Amino acid sequence: HPRRPTVLFMRQRRCLAVLLLLASTSPCVMVRLLCLHGKGNTADTFRDRVKPLAKDAELVCVSAPHPLGDGFAWWHLPPGERSFTTPVFEGWPETLDFIRKVWTEEGPFDGMLGFSQGAILVAALVALGEMKSGRALASCRCLLLCGAAVPGPFQREIADLASRADKLENGNYVALHTIGRQDDINPPEGARQVAAAVGGEIFEFDGGHDVPMDEAALEVYRSLLKRLP
C-alpha cells in the first residue's frame, strides 16, 4: 500500500507524456478559404493560378453560377458597361444565394479570396453587410481581395463604409488588398477605394491585373493568415 501513490503518479506522468506527444505530432488545421475567380474563368483555372498558396491554406475554388463563353461569371453586364461603372449586376440575386449556399453547405470556411470580378464580389458582400453578426457570412474572419474595383451598383454603400471610423461594424475579419501598380483592367485607384471601405492592409506590387504569387506576396499572405481573429 505505501507504494501505490507512486505507481499512480507514474501512470499520470505517462498519460501526460502521451497527450503532449499527440499534441505535438498532430497536423495543424489549415485556414480554409473560399476562392472566387475572375470573369470568364473557372474553378479549375483559378485553382492553378493560386496553387502556390495551397501550402499555407486549404483553397476551395468554385465556379460562378452564370455561364460566360468557356467559363463563368458572377454577373452579366449591360452592353458597354464595366463592373465599376454599371448601375446593375444582372443575375445578382442568384449569385448572392449561391454564395450563401456554398458557405453553409461546403463550409466551414475561415475566409474568402477573390480576384478581379471575384474581388469585386467580396467588396459587394461587405458593402451589403453580409459579414455582420447574425448574417449568413458572419463567420468570415479573413478577406483577400486581388485586383478589386468598386462594385458599380453599390457605390453609395462603399462610400458609406469608407466614412466610418469603426471598421468592426463591417464584420470581425482581417483583410488584405493586393494592387498591381500597372493594372489596366481595374485601375489601382478603385482598389484603394475598396480598401478604404473594407479596411485592412494594402500590398502593392510591380505588375498588372494578377494575383501575385511570388515569395514576397506569399510572405504577406502567411502573415495575414496567422492573425485571424
Side-chain angles (χ1 to χ4, degrees), residues 18 31 37 42 53 62 64 77 84 94 107 147 154 157 165 175 199 203-204 207 211 213:
V18 170
V31 173
H37 60 73
T42 68
L53 186 58
V62 294
L77 297 168
F84 51 84
E94 293 82 1
F154 311 117
E157 289 84 351
F203 173 71
E204 294 197 13
V211 183
M213 283 288 158

Side-chain angles (χ1 to χ4, degrees), residues 15-133:
C15 289
L16 179 59
V18 170
L19 289 174
L20 290 173
L21 179 63
L22 290 174
S24 64
T25 56
S26 58
C28 294
V29 177
M30 298 181 77
V31 173
R32 200 161 186 258
L33 300 178
L34 177 60
C35 301
L36 312 173
H37 60 73
K39 178 182 176 181
N41 291 150
T42 68
D44 289 339
T45 58
F46 194 50
R47 187 178 297 109
D48 290 339
R49 194 167 199 163
V50 296
K51 188 175 180 179
L53 186 58
K55 295 179 181 179
D56 302 289
E58 182 182 350
L59 307 176
V60 180
C61 300
V62 294
S63 292
H66 304 291
L68 181 66
D70 293 332
F72 300 90
W74 296 105
W75 49 80
H76 292 297
L77 297 168
E81 295 284 4
R82 300 287 305 280
S83 288
F84 51 84
T85 64
T86 182
V88 61
F89 286 163
E90 297 175 357
W92 173 254
E94 293 82 1
T95 291
L96 187 55
D97 288 344
F98 176 83
I99 290 295
R100 289 170 174 167
K101 183 177 181 179
V102 169
W103 188 266
T104 302
E105 296 183 0
E106 298 188 29
F109 295 102
D110 296 294
M112 295 183 180
L113 186 163
F115 169 61
S116 194
Q117 198 181 69
I120 298 173
L121 168 57
V122 174
L125 293 170
V126 176
L128 296 176
E130 289 294 317
M131 276 76 170
K132 289 183 178 181
S133 177

Side-chain angles (χ1 to χ4, degrees), residues 158-182:
I158 288 290
D160 288 344
L161 287 182
S163 67
R164 296 179 188 173
D166 185 7
K167 301 303 180 188
L168 285 177
E169 294 182 11
N170 304 345
N172 186 26
Y173 55 75
V174 294
L176 176 70
H177 309 260
T178 70
I179 303 175
R181 296 187 184 96
Q182 289 79 45

